Amino acid sequence: MGILNDDAVLIKEAEKAGDKTLITVNCPDKTGLGCDLCRIILLFGLSIAKGDASTDGKWCYLVFWVVGKPTTRWYLLRERLREVCPPCTLPMAEIYYFRPEFQQPKPPKVFLLKFWCTFDRKGLLHDVTKVLCELELSVKRVKVFTAPDGTVMDLLFVTDTRELLHTKKRQEETKSQLNAMLGDNILSFEIELAGHEVTANPQGSAFLPPAITDDMDNALISKRVSVKFDNELSPSHTLMQILCQDHKGLIYDIMRTLKDYNIQVSYGRFSAKVKDYEVDLFIMQVDGKKIMEPEKQKVICSRLQMELVRPLRVEVMSRGPDTELLVANPVELAGKGRPLVFYDITLAITSLSIRIFSVEIARHKIHDREWEVYRVLLDEGDVALVPRSTIKECVVKNLMGWE
């Protein structure tokens, strides 16, 4: 049986402020590896300033120059990147590709975090979300209840990336870090496995407005994102060139789109310029052929342009007497949603001094594609002081990294 190569992922941290951290990945190749790596880099809140990728179809070599943060846990990033790299020996690689559990992973267990606080201060939910992100816990649903005496009960349904929240040690770690953040504000804290009714119905059924479901006009999109194909430069590959405005997770959005179409990247170079982001990729279909058909090029071009102009959709609307914030992002065919969306939402809402009453996260079918939709019910007393256009603009800027 094979094992993962300890040198599959190497990280050279920036030596001084302003420098980029260098991430090198050297391992066996697999379709969609670039997408998986970029998703993890986005999950850790890093932006890719420049990158190179090359593969012969069996072995790949990728280099990312990323902009980090003082709080980035590089050792944990390296561990997470290594986990998505295929093993180095053939027997293990064959198991990795063809075992059913790798193709159809079991849904993670959902746990309920329930705690009482003395009061619901503004920004509390974001502070809790920040701690949960550091613990690698993903929020799936939130409910906030205020008692007549002013105390608040928060219910958070979460999944654990490490799949250890059923253990006493992991629960104690979670309680300790939340207690340290909440301080005297916390009255009680419990963790338990969520009931079947929470995990059995992830699909949403409520109405979604046209601002979420409708696509933008193609003419408008083509002016903002340029996608060109060239089949003359290489005898075996199609050159795809992309020029567009930079945003948080841009390379991830490109790679997940290509992964959904089973497009393989054999060589690529991408970098952020002063005003735009330039991407050159030598690609081919899963059967090893170039992308020659104009109709197929048109479909891929249209999808990429849409994903790069609107990787997320945001709307603020009325829900009865209340105000609701809606955020939607496409889900990979592999079933994974976009990282850090809830974190960015709570950060934006906190910056506007608005409290969150409840959050529901569900999957919806929009134009035959699965989307993850966040429904955030806002405190009506707070939201009355802030124009809806301001709320939408602030959320969009945080999600796109334009703040």
Side-chain angles (χ1 to χ4, degrees):
M1 297 294 286
I3 59 174
L4 289 175
N5 181 3
D6 287 340
D7 295 329
V9 179
L10 299 176
I11 297 179
K12 182 181 179 182
E13 296 182 37
E15 295 180 356
K16 60 180 184 296
D19 287 353
K20 309 295 188 297
T21 292
L22 181 65
I23 301 175
T24 303
V25 180
N26 186 20
C27 67
D29 197 12
K30 68 171 183 177
T31 302
L33 177 61
C35 170
D36 297 341
L37 295 171
C38 290
R39 186 181 189 279
I40 293 172
I41 291 173
L42 175 59
L43 178 61
F44 277 72
L46 307 175
S47 59
I48 300 174
K50 186 171 66 171
D52 284 288
S54 62
T55 178
D56 60 2
K58 296 180 179 179
W59 199 272
C60 66
Y61 184 76
L62 303 99
V63 183
F64 301 98
W65 287 264
V66 302
V67 180
K69 303 176 181 178
T71 56
T72 300
R73 294 176 292 176
W74 298 108
Y75 70 93
L76 187 58
L77 172 63
R78 180 173 181 264
E79 182 178 335
R80 294 292 170 258
L81 291 172
R82 285 181 66 245
E83 288 175 352
V84 299
C85 293
C88 294
T89 58
L90 182 59
M92 190 64 176
E94 289 176 347
I95 294 173
Y96 185 92
Y97 284 118
F98 299 113
R99 280 177 63 183
E101 55 263 43
F102 282 109
Q103 299 172 2
Q104 297 179 341
K106 296 179 181 178
K109 294 181 179 179
V110 180
F111 289 82
L112 169 62
L113 275 58
K114 178 169 62 176
F115 52 92
W116 281 92
C117 294
T118 54
F119 64 96
D120 184 19
R121 63 172 173 82
K122 294 175 181 178
L124 175 63
L125 185 55
H126 175 68
D127 291 341
V128 171
T129 303
K130 184 178 180 180
V131 172
L132 296 181
C133 286
E134 293 172 351
L135 288 165
E136 298 187 284
L137 300 176
S138 300
V139 178
K140 297 301 179 184
R141 188 178 300 179
V142 177
K143 289 288 185 181
V144 180
F145 300 95
T146 303
D149 61 358
T151 57
V152 175
M153 181 174 68
D154 288 63
L155 303 177
L156 292 97
F157 297 89
V158 303
T159 58
D160 185 8
T161 299
R162 305 177 195 174
E163 299 183 351
L164 294 172
L165 199 53
H166 62 282
T167 65
K168 183 177 180 180
K169 181 179 179 181
R170 181 69 162 147
Q171 291 187 7
E172 289 300 324
E173 177 190 20
T174 302
K175 291 179 181 179
S176 175
Q177 293 203 30
L178 284 170
N179 276 325
M181 185 275 296
L182 293 168
D184 296 336
N185 191 28
I186 192 168
L187 299 174
S188 66
F189 187 93
E190 300 175 20
I191 299 178
E192 61 187 51
L193 189 64
H196 177 71
E197 67 279 1
V198 175
T199 59
N201 186 29
Q203 293 289 336
S205 57
F207 167 78
L208 294 174
I212 298 295
T213 59
D214 290 356
D215 292 335
M216 291 179 64
D217 181 75
N218 288 334
L220 178 61
I221 291 176
S222 61
K223 292 180 181 179
R224 297 170 59 179
V225 177
S226 171
V227 180
K228 297 180 180 179
F229 293 89
D230 184 340
N231 279 303
E232 301 298 327
L233 191 61
S234 169
S236 56
H237 294 82
T238 297
L239 169 62
M240 183 174 68
Q241 296 177 300
I242 302 172
L243 181 65
C244 62
Q245 182 181 6
D246 193 8
H247 68 254
K248 184 189 298 183
L250 182 143
I251 301 300
Y252 166 69
D253 289 325
I254 294 173
M255 293 300 179
R256 67 174 170 81
T257 302
L258 296 180
K259 180 181 179 181
D260 285 353
Y261 279 103
N262 274 326
I263 300 296
Q264 298 178 352
V265 178
S266 296
Y267 176 78
R269 177 167 290 177
F270 35 92
S271 61
K273 304 301 181 182
V274 176
K275 293 184 178 180
D276 299 302
Y277 207 103
E278 296 181 1
V279 180
D280 293 332
L281 301 175
F282 286 87
I283 60 177
M284 61 181 179
Q285 301 178 90
V286 70
D287 58 6
K289 297 180 180 179
K290 299 165 70 171
I291 304 172
M292 302 294 296
E293 302 86 348
E295 188 60 34
K296 180 168 288 188
Q297 292 182 11
K298 183 179 178 181
V299 169
I300 296 173
C301 175
S302 177
R303 171 77 175 272
L304 275 170
Q305 288 176 329
M306 182 65 70
E307 297 295 342
L308 298 182
V309 171
R310 298 181 73 196
L312 302 110
R313 302 181 182 187
V314 180
E315 187 57 79
V316 181
M317 58 182 288
S318 297
R319 183 177 175 183
D322 303 313
T323 299
E324 183 177 60
L325 167 68
L326 289 174
V327 177
N329 62 267
V331 176
E332 296 175 30
L333 287 182
K336 296 179 181 178
R338 190 182 192 85
L340 294 183
V341 173
F342 186 62
Y343 176 89
D344 287 332
I345 291 172
T346 58
L347 178 61
I349 297 302
T350 296
S351 70
L352 297 172
S353 297
I354 298 174
R355 280 170 291 203
I356 294 174
F357 181 71
S358 68
V359 181
E360 293 184 2
I361 307 171
R363 299 288 174 94
H364 289 256
K365 285 288 186 180
I366 303 177
H367 303 313
D368 298 324
R369 292 181 60 200
E370 191 171 46
W371 289 67
E372 196 165 54
V373 179
Y374 296 73
R375 292 181 173 273
V376 184
L377 204 60
L378 305 175
D379 184 279
E380 196 58 35
D382 297 336
V383 82
L385 304 175
V386 184
R388 291 185 177 182
S389 59
T390 301
I391 297 173
K392 180 176 179 178
E393 180 183 4
C394 185
V395 172
V396 169
K397 285 184 176 180
N398 269 273
L399 289 169
M400 299 293 280
W402 294 338
E403 66 276 15

